[in-house]
Amino acid sequence: MKTMFWILMAVSALAFARGQEIIPGEGIVILPADKLPKTVPLFHSVTADVLAKIGPEKVTTTQKLVFTVHQGNSGELGVELRGAGDVVSVTGGNVAAWSVRSDEAGKRSILFQPKEIKAGTPYAIEVTTTANVSDGSAPVILPGPGKSTGFSMTLAVEAAPGFAVKVKSAEGLVPIDGSEGKRFFSAATALLEMSVAAEGPGAGGIEIVEPLLTGTLSPDGASVSFKLEAKARASAAGSRIALLGGNAAVSSGTSGEGWNLSLEKQGDTLVHQLIAQRAGEFPLGIGFEAPLTRNGDWRSLDFRVPGGVIVPVVIRGLPEGFAFDRSLPVVPTKESDTWRGYLPADGGLKLAWRVSDAIEDGALFFSSAEASDVRVGNGLLRQSTSIQLRILQGKLPSLSIGIDGPGEILSVTGEPGLGWSVKEAEGKRTLEISLSRPIEGGGKFQIESQSALGGFPVKAKAMRFLPAGTLRHSGWLRVANEGAVRIEVADAQGLIQLAPSQFPGKADETLRQVFVYRFPSAEYAYSVQADQVLPETSVTEVTVYELAETDRRIHSDVELDIREAPLREWEMIVPADYAVASVTGASVVDYVVASEVKAGGKSLRVSFKEPVSGRQLVSVRLEKNETAKAGAWSLPRLAFPDAKSRRGYIGASGVAGYRLAAGATSGVAEVPLTFFPKKVSALQQAFRLKETAWKVDLNVEALGQSIQADVFHLYSLKEGAVYG
């Protein structure tokens, strides 16, 4: 009680000092307080020391990360991860927890929660990752800046014993001089992919190490004089490598100690080959001229030196007040009075520049044209849309396309597309395409999409695309069916129907139903009505009923005329007391005989190896064990339940000693034996079918046995004897 008294006194004094009044309530006193202090945001920098060990099957990286906290005492520390692979472990004395996260764009980051955070104190962790080597391509997982305020990384690459590695592709990395392409430095997000191959005499060829390419612009500005300095390592005498190709020619240094150059033709181009005269290492010093190609205001270079290592390039003598084309692989940066850059891993030098006054951009104006191909099939509506952009003025930094209609986007491809995502806001969907560089002149994107259809008949709508900011959007639309589907285009608005041949691109001769339209603006609409199409089959049969000594047989050649839609399997009804001996045909793959008997018949289902249409011939042979004897024989009918029409001939043949006489018949017309379309030995009766439900009764008569003989007698009379 005393403690509570003193607490109340302290609270009362504080309230009195602030001029507040204590209001009695239910044991609660509310006092105004000053503004709560804001949480200090966390700022940190990262230094990374990465070692990548590359073997024939795996790439293992050890990333030693040092985080230095400059401000803040709570939050998460982390870096971005570039490259395919898995994080195996994260260790460190100050690590309380860690995780690998991916955002909506698929970018991965590794984050860890320190046990304590104190400004100015460095925290070190070690991250181990692995990645698989596929077809000699070895991806390396590298850390990136992430949310850090400062970042620097050194990277060392080591190959497993017996193997050699080369740079296949690299971004954001600067090779360290003298490292022969095995050590790099980066201060930004980087990406590296190496190639790994067996090392030794079997590998062959020449390896170029420690290259440096130096160029000087000629006084007349028409060419650049380059000098390539490097070391060459040859595995054997006679080894060679393509040293210089493209729009350049050697001017000096055609040979040296242990090597020489040879100009050879490869295809339609000439290439300078470096040929080793001995095995070992030797220095190279080669001069060559590269003319500048003029394209409007642009001056460009285009030639190739050996790839596999990142080649530094230094250019001197360039004028002031110009800019490089950033869409090309090589974009040098200024260092004092020179410009320094790096060739990509393939060794191709492609760069261009022009005077800055000539690159002032005006306001953005662009138009777009669309060619959309819609296919309606069983259960699915597929759409392939090509959008062509034409930049009339300025540059297009990003592309946003509105989506109207149901369905999902499957893929978006095109140059210079970098990635895509579908965003939804206020019930409207938008396709956002990120670009690797602003679009100038024009660009083309291909969008693949699909939407599910319900049960037939169905009425569906396809997607409609509208690029944001375009001056005019027009194009073509083609709607066609796939498979056993019949379609109609309904509720068409803002569409002009054209002939199918007027759709741009190559004509598709396999399409059965095609509707082609032209729309002058994006304000158009339509719907597709689809219904399933069933195949229509007409049957023409030639069936022979044979009376044999020990059995009765039915040979039937059935010709199917399949229209409207392809047929995968076909059913006929055969007599239940006959066994199916064989079913053959060019497209027949199997058959199944049902065990259930209905109305004296059972089902024979014939399967084809692929959907068939048009004319197909199927031969069926049935047999029944029954000894030949005199009496009545009612010919059993073959039935075709799915046939739209039926026609043909039936015949009867008998074994010697029996005669087949026609009895009561209906639905058939007797024809001469010579008119029967199939040549059959011992054919005795022939009929042409007039109705589907025909009936033929035959009388089997046994003929009496008779013997006919022709006898010749010869008599010879000789001396003393008579012969006969």
Side-chain angles (χ1 to χ4, degrees):
M1 292 296 295
K2 290 183 178 180
T3 303
M4 182 61 68
F5 172 77
W6 287 111
I7 291 176
L8 291 175
M9 290 297 292
V11 171
S12 301
L14 180 59
F16 179 77
R18 297 194 176 199
Q20 303 293 329
E21 179 181 0
I22 298 177
I23 301 174
E26 297 180 359
I28 299 176
V29 177
I30 300 176
L31 299 176
D34 294 333
K35 292 183 179 179
L36 295 175
K38 292 183 178 179
T39 303
V40 178
L42 182 66
F43 292 116
H44 67 279
S45 59
V46 183
T47 58
D49 188 6
V50 182
L51 173 62
K53 296 183 178 180
I54 302 177
E57 297 180 354
K58 283 191 175 293
V59 179
T60 303
T61 64
T62 303
Q63 304 176 6
K64 296 181 179 179
L65 308 177
V66 179
F67 296 84
T68 302
V69 178
H70 303 286
Q71 177 182 291
N73 55 13
S74 63
E76 291 179 324
L77 304 177
V79 292
E80 181 185 347
L81 292 179
R82 287 289 301 274
D86 301 319
V87 177
V88 178
S89 64
V90 177
T91 58
N94 196 38
V95 177
W98 65 275
S99 63
V100 178
R101 303 178 189 174
S102 299
D103 59 11
E104 296 179 354
K107 293 182 179 180
R108 293 194 301 169
S109 299
I110 182 166
L111 304 174
F112 83 97
Q113 182 68 46
K115 296 178 181 178
E116 61 175 354
I117 297 179
K118 186 177 180 181
T121 303
Y123 300 102
I125 66 171
E126 186 172 298
V127 179
T128 304
T129 69
T130 60
N132 295 326
V133 176
S134 176
D135 297 330
S137 180
V140 181
I141 299 180
L142 298 178
K147 296 182 179 180
S148 62
T149 57
F151 177 81
S152 63
M153 176 184 66
T154 56
L155 168 64
V157 178
E158 291 183 1
F163 291 87
V165 294
K166 291 183 179 181
V167 177
K168 188 175 182 181
S169 63
E171 296 178 8
L173 292 172
V174 178
I176 297 176
D177 294 340
S179 67
E180 302 180 2
K182 302 298 187 296
R183 291 185 61 84
F184 304 89
F185 172 80
S186 177
T189 302
L191 184 65
L192 177 64
E193 186 172 0
M194 308 289 288
S195 62
V196 57
E199 188 179 32
I206 300 177
E207 182 182 6
I208 304 298
V209 296
E210 299 182 13
L212 175 62
L213 190 60
T214 306
T216 304
L217 182 65
S218 62
D220 59 0
S223 63
V224 178
S225 300
F226 283 96
K227 184 175 183 181
L228 175 62
E229 298 174 307
K231 293 180 181 179
R233 292 176 182 169
S235 60
S239 299
R240 60 175 54 209
I241 189 175
L243 188 69
L244 181 64
N247 195 16
V250 173
S251 58
S252 63
T254 56
S255 62
E257 193 275 325
W259 61 274
N260 67 279
L261 293 181
S262 173
L263 184 61
E264 300 178 4
K265 190 172 184 179
Q266 291 185 354
D268 297 332
T269 61
L270 294 174
V271 177
H272 293 275
Q273 294 276 352
L274 173 65
I275 303 175
Q277 299 173 356
R278 59 174 175 82
E281 182 177 294
F282 40 80
L284 294 177
I286 299 170
F288 60 91
E289 295 291 328
L292 285 170
T293 303
R294 300 173 65 96
N295 184 10
D297 297 326
W298 291 101
R299 307 291 185 271
S300 59
L301 295 170
D302 187 0
F303 60 86
R304 186 178 299 276
V305 297
V309 295
I310 299 179
V311 181
V313 57
V314 178
I315 302 179
R316 300 184 177 92
L318 296 182
E320 296 291 338
F322 71 97
F324 287 97
D325 185 356
R326 296 189 173 275
S327 65
L328 297 179
V330 182
V331 182
T333 57
K334 191 170 185 179
E335 293 183 1
S336 184
D337 58 344
T338 63
W339 292 84
R340 185 181 182 90
Y342 298 90
L343 303 190
D346 62 0
L349 188 145
K350 292 185 178 181
L351 64 84
W353 69 81
R354 63 179 176 182
V355 181
S356 298
D357 294 339
I359 59 172
E360 295 294 334
D361 293 330
L364 175 63
F365 295 103
F366 73 98
S367 62
S368 55
E370 173 185 335
S372 187
D373 192 2
V374 178
R375 302 293 176 89
V376 182
N378 285 321
L380 201 64
L381 183 149
R382 299 186 298 112
Q383 185 171 357
S384 177
T385 303
S386 173
I387 296 182
Q388 184 86 35
L389 302 176
R390 182 185 178 189
I391 311 302
L392 305 176
Q393 180 177 293
K395 299 179 182 179
L396 183 64
S398 62
L399 183 58
S400 178
I401 302 177
I403 303 175
D404 181 23
E408 59 179 343
I409 304 294
L410 300 180
S411 66
V412 179
T413 58
E415 174 66 24
L418 190 61
W420 62 275
S421 63
V422 177
K423 298 181 179 180
E424 186 171 355
E426 299 180 356
K428 295 183 179 180
R429 293 190 299 166
T430 305
L431 175 62
E432 301 289 345
I433 302 177
S434 57
L435 307 176
S436 59
R437 54 178 173 81
I439 299 178
E440 296 183 79
K444 185 177 182 180
F445 292 90
Q446 189 76 23
I447 304 173
E448 303 292 337
S449 61
Q450 69 179 23
S451 60
L453 300 177
F456 289 108
V458 66
K459 187 174 183 179
K461 289 189 176 182
M463 284 188 180
R464 186 168 62 96
F465 298 98
L466 177 61
T470 180
L471 292 177
R472 183 171 69 91
H473 182 70
S474 59
W476 294 265
L477 169 67
R478 180 169 66 184
V479 183
N481 67 332
E482 286 185 335
V485 177
R486 180 183 289 110
I487 62 171
E488 291 183 6
V489 177
D491 306 328
Q493 299 178 7
L495 296 174
I496 304 171
Q497 189 165 5
L498 306 174
S501 60
Q502 292 184 267
F503 188 79
K506 186 178 180 180
D508 193 344
E509 302 294 340
T510 63
L511 299 178
R512 300 183 61 195
Q513 273 190 293
V514 185
F515 300 90
V516 173
Y517 298 90
R518 179 85 164 88
F519 53 91
S521 70
E523 301 301 324
Y524 69 93
Y526 70 99
S527 59
V528 180
Q529 292 180 343
D531 198 0
Q532 191 172 12
V533 177
L534 298 178
E536 294 183 356
T537 307
S538 299
V539 174
T540 302
E541 65 170 309
V542 178
T543 304
V544 177
Y545 295 83
E546 180 184 358
L547 176 67
E549 288 281 358
T550 59
D551 56 5
R552 300 192 180 188
R553 305 166 188 162
I554 302 177
H555 303 270
S556 182
D557 291 335
V558 182
E559 182 180 327
L560 306 177
D561 187 6
I562 306 167
R563 300 180 180 275
E564 296 298 330
L567 196 66
R568 170 67 75 173
E569 60 181 14
W570 173 68
E571 182 186 17
M572 62 181 293
I573 306 298
V574 299
D577 54 348
Y578 280 73
V580 179
S582 66
V583 178
T584 58
S587 300
V588 174
V589 67
D590 197 6
Y591 66 91
V592 176
V593 182
S595 58
E596 183 180 2
V597 178
K598 292 183 179 180
K602 53 186 177 181
S603 172
L604 171 62
R605 190 170 293 273
V606 181
S607 300
F608 302 102
K609 57 186 175 183
E610 59 184 4
V612 295
S613 60
R615 295 185 180 274
Q616 298 291 329
L617 181 63
V618 179
S619 298
V620 181
R621 179 176 177 178
L622 309 175
E623 294 181 353
K624 174 185 177 181
N625 292 329
E626 185 176 348
T627 305
K629 60 182 179 179
W633 185 20
S634 181
L635 300 184
R637 282 198 314 266
L638 302 180
F640 310 100
D642 295 330
K644 183 180 179 182
S645 63
R646 178 182 179 180
R647 59 184 179 179
Y649 294 84
I650 60 173
S653 66
V655 68
Y658 291 91
R659 182 170 59 197
L660 304 178
T665 62
S666 64
V668 296
E670 190 172 359
V671 297
L673 299 182
T674 55
F675 284 10
F676 196 74
K678 183 177 181 181
K679 187 176 181 180
V680 179
S681 62
L683 184 68
Q684 299 186 27
Q685 297 290 338
F687 303 90
R688 177 175 55 84
L689 297 181
K690 297 171 58 179
E691 298 177 3
T692 301
W694 57 268
K695 181 181 178 181
V696 174
D697 293 333
L698 300 179
N699 295 321
V700 180
E701 301 174 359
L703 302 177
Q705 294 183 352
S706 63
I707 300 176
Q708 294 180 354
D710 292 333
V711 180
F712 173 71
H713 298 274
L714 175 65
Y715 298 93
S716 300
L717 178 64
K718 291 187 178 182
E719 184 178 356
V722 176
Y723 300 93

